[in-house]
Amino acid sequence: MTSTPHTSAGAPAPGASTLGADTRTAALDAALATVRRNITLHGDLYPDDTTHANRYELRPAAPGFAAGANRGWTTSFWSGQQWLAWELTGDQDFRAAALRHADDFAERVRGEHDLDTHDLGFLYSLGSLTAARLASTAAARADARAAALDAADHLMRRFLEPAGVIQAWGDLSDPRQAGRTIIDSLMNMPLLSWAHAETGEERYADAVRRHTTQLREHILRADDSTFHTFYWDTVTGEPLRGATEQGAFDDSCWARGQAWGIYGFAINHRATGDPSLLDAAWRCAEYFLAHLPADGVPYWDLVYTDENPAPRDSSAGAIAACGFLELARVDPDPARAARAQAFAEQLVGDLIAGYTPARPEDADALLLHSVYDLPKNNGVDEGTLWGDYFYLEALTRLADPEWVTYW
Ligand code: GLY
C-alpha cells in the first residue's frame, strides 16, 4: 500500500484515501500466520517483553521463576493476541492456547506471584476477563471471573488515601516508589470498572473516578502533552511533581505515554460518562497528531522531529490507533467521530506500509521498530508484545466495528 500524505499537523491530508479492505485483509492474514507460528514456537510458555533482533526468546528465568514463566507486566498481551486470533478465525487452536494461559493467570493471582504492580489491569483484562466471557465451558468462565475479581482486589490495595491515586510500581512499603503513578495506569482502570459492574460495589468505581480525575488534573499538562509519571505526597495527598522514567527528559513527552493518554482517557470516559475525560483524550490526541513525523509513526519521544530524528516507537502508533477507534465509537459528535476514524485508518495504513515484516517469516513480531525503554537501552528498535497486541486489536476493530472490547 502507498501511505497517504500527512499535513504538517500530522492529520490525514484532505482527500487522503482510507485504508483499503485488501490491504487490511493481507495484513491480518500475515499477523495471524505469525501468531500461529509463535504458539508453536513457545508452547504454553511466555515470550520475552520484546524481540531480540526481531525474534522472540523465552522470558528469562528470575528468582522464583523458571524461563518462560508468567511474570512481569506484558504476558497478557500474548494471551490477548490469541483471543483476538480466535475471534477473527474461530480456530479452536487459538482459543485452546489462550485458555491454558488463563489457567496460569488464575494460578498467578492465587499464588500471589509477582503482583506488586498496577499492571494487574493490563494482565487480568486480557489474561482472565477475556476467558470469563469467551471460554467454552461455564466452569472455565467462572474460574477466570474469580481470578479477575481477586486481581481487582489486589489492585485496590494500591489505592492511596488521601491522594486518591493508585500507586504504579513496587511494594507499597518501598519509599522510592511511594505516591507515584504513571500515565499508563489509565489502561489498568477497566479491571476496576468491570469489578464495579460485576459486584455493584461502589469502592471500585470511586477509585476509577478519583484516579482518573487526578491524572486529568496533574499528569496532563496545560499544553496538552503529558508527564510519564507524577508523585503525590502519601501523607497529605498533595500533588508534588512530574518526572519521567522512560521518556527523554522530565518535561519532554514520551510518545507511548501520550498514546496511553489518548486510549486511556477515552475508555475511562466510556466507563464513567465523565465528559472531561473525553476532552482529555482529545487534548492528548491533538498534541500527538501535531508531533508526528512525515511518515505518520512517532519517534519514541515526541521531542524528536524529522530534523532531529531518533528511533521510532511503532507501538505508540498502534496504541494511538486503537485510541482513535475508541474515540470514533464514543464521541457523540459525528464529525469528530469521523475524524477519529480517519486518523486511525491513516495510522494503521502507515504502520502496515513501513513497520511490518515484508513476509511473516522474516520476524517473530507482528509490528517492527518499537522502543521499550531507550534510556535503559532495553528493547530499542524491536518488536514488543504490546505493540503486536494493539496492532492486531486495531486490525480487528477495523475488520469488525462491532467488536466487543476487552477493556
Ligand atoms: N506500561 C509500560 C510501558 O508502556 O512501557
Side-chain angles (χ1 to χ4, degrees):
M1 114 147 219
T2 309
S3 184
T4 46
H6 285 264
T7 65
S8 57
S17 64
T18 51
L19 179 58
D22 288 353
T23 304
R24 267 200 288 109
T25 304
L28 256 183
D29 288 348
L32 290 167
T34 303
V35 174
R36 191 184 295 282
R37 205 181 61 241
N38 286 341
I39 291 174
T40 307
L41 196 62
H42 297 298
D44 292 340
L45 299 176
Y46 295 86
D48 205 354
D49 301 321
T50 74
T51 57
H52 301 266
N54 289 329
R55 297 291 173 192
Y56 280 115
E57 296 165 10
L58 277 189
R59 192 159 285 261
F65 294 93
N70 187 354
R71 66 176 183 86
W73 71 279
T74 62
T75 48
S76 63
F77 295 113
W78 179 218
S79 307
Q81 291 174 52
Q82 294 162 358
W83 283 115
L84 291 172
W86 146 253
E87 291 208 89
L88 286 159
T89 63
D91 182 332
Q92 299 295 342
D93 288 350
F94 290 126
R95 178 157 72 172
L99 281 172
R100 291 192 295 273
H101 287 314
D103 289 342
D104 287 342
F105 279 94
E107 155 57 20
R108 178 168 171 175
V109 70
R110 286 180 191 137
E112 306 212 359
H113 304 306
D114 195 19
L115 303 183
D116 285 336
T117 169
H118 69 150
D119 288 326
L120 292 169
F122 277 125
L123 290 165
Y124 283 83
S125 290
L126 297 179
S128 292
L129 284 188
T130 40
R133 188 163 59 79
L134 300 171
S136 47
T137 67
R141 289 193 295 275
D143 195 50
R145 176 186 178 279
L149 276 176
D150 273 1
D153 283 335
H154 274 277
L155 185 52
M156 285 296 291
R157 290 182 204 168
R158 307 183 71 78
F159 188 70
L160 304 179
E161 293 284 12
V165 295
I166 288 180
Q167 182 172 315
W169 293 320
D171 187 300
L172 292 173
S173 62
D174 179 349
R176 289 165 310 172
Q177 300 295 349
R180 170 147 82 164
T181 191
I182 70 175
I183 184 137
D184 325 25
S185 64
L186 292 167
M187 298 297 297
N188 291 322
M189 297 298 107
L191 182 66
L192 300 182
S193 295
W194 168 82
H196 170 245
E198 205 64 15
T199 63
E201 288 183 40
E202 273 309 310
R203 65 192 175 101
Y204 298 114
D206 183 59
V208 172
R209 269 191 302 271
R210 291 178 63 195
H211 182 85
T212 54
T213 300
Q214 288 286 51
L215 263 67
R216 190 204 66 218
E217 285 181 6
H218 300 291
I219 219 159
L220 180 57
R221 303 179 180 118
D223 69 354
D224 302 340
S225 65
T226 51
F227 287 113
H228 178 194
T229 87
F230 202 94
Y231 289 87
W232 276 261
D233 187 306
T234 53
V235 176
T236 66
E238 284 303 301
L240 295 177
R241 67 188 168 89
T244 199
E245 184 69 26
Q246 285 161 250
F249 317 108
D250 284 346
D251 57 359
S252 72
C253 183
W254 179 50
R256 194 158 65 252
Q258 195 75 9
W260 292 135
I262 301 169
Y263 200 8
F265 280 122
I267 54 179
N268 284 295
H269 164 69
R270 168 167 43 77
T272 62
D274 179 348
S276 74
L277 299 182
L278 180 60
D279 181 58
W282 271 111
R283 287 173 57 195
C284 291
E286 299 292 4
Y287 188 95
F288 185 86
L289 290 168
H291 291 80
L292 288 180
D295 84 347
V297 176
Y299 295 110
W300 70 278
D301 192 295
L302 299 182
V303 78
Y304 297 106
T305 65
D306 285 339
E307 287 70 49
N308 176 26
R312 311 286 181 150
D313 183 7
S314 60
S315 76
I319 294 160
C322 291
F324 280 116
L325 289 166
E326 183 69 21
L327 284 171
R329 273 194 196 185
V330 300
D331 198 309
D333 177 334
R336 292 208 319 180
R339 202 165 151 252
Q341 180 77 24
F343 286 137
E345 293 187 17
Q346 178 72 21
L347 264 167
V348 173
D350 290 337
L351 291 173
I352 294 171
Y355 294 80
T356 54
R359 299 171 307 159
E361 58 272 29
D362 291 346
D364 293 345
L366 280 54
L367 189 63
L368 308 173
H369 307 306
S370 295
V371 166
Y372 182 5
D373 189 340
L374 191 136
K376 299 184 194 64
N377 196 26
N378 183 359
V380 176
D381 195 17
E382 293 289 352
T384 66
L385 287 180
W386 61 90
D388 290 351
Y389 169 79
F390 286 103
Y391 170 67
L392 191 56
E393 184 188 307
L395 288 173
T396 305
R397 282 172 169 271
L398 289 171
D400 176 10
E402 305 298 313
W403 175 73
V404 178
T405 178
Y406 297 166
W407 305 106

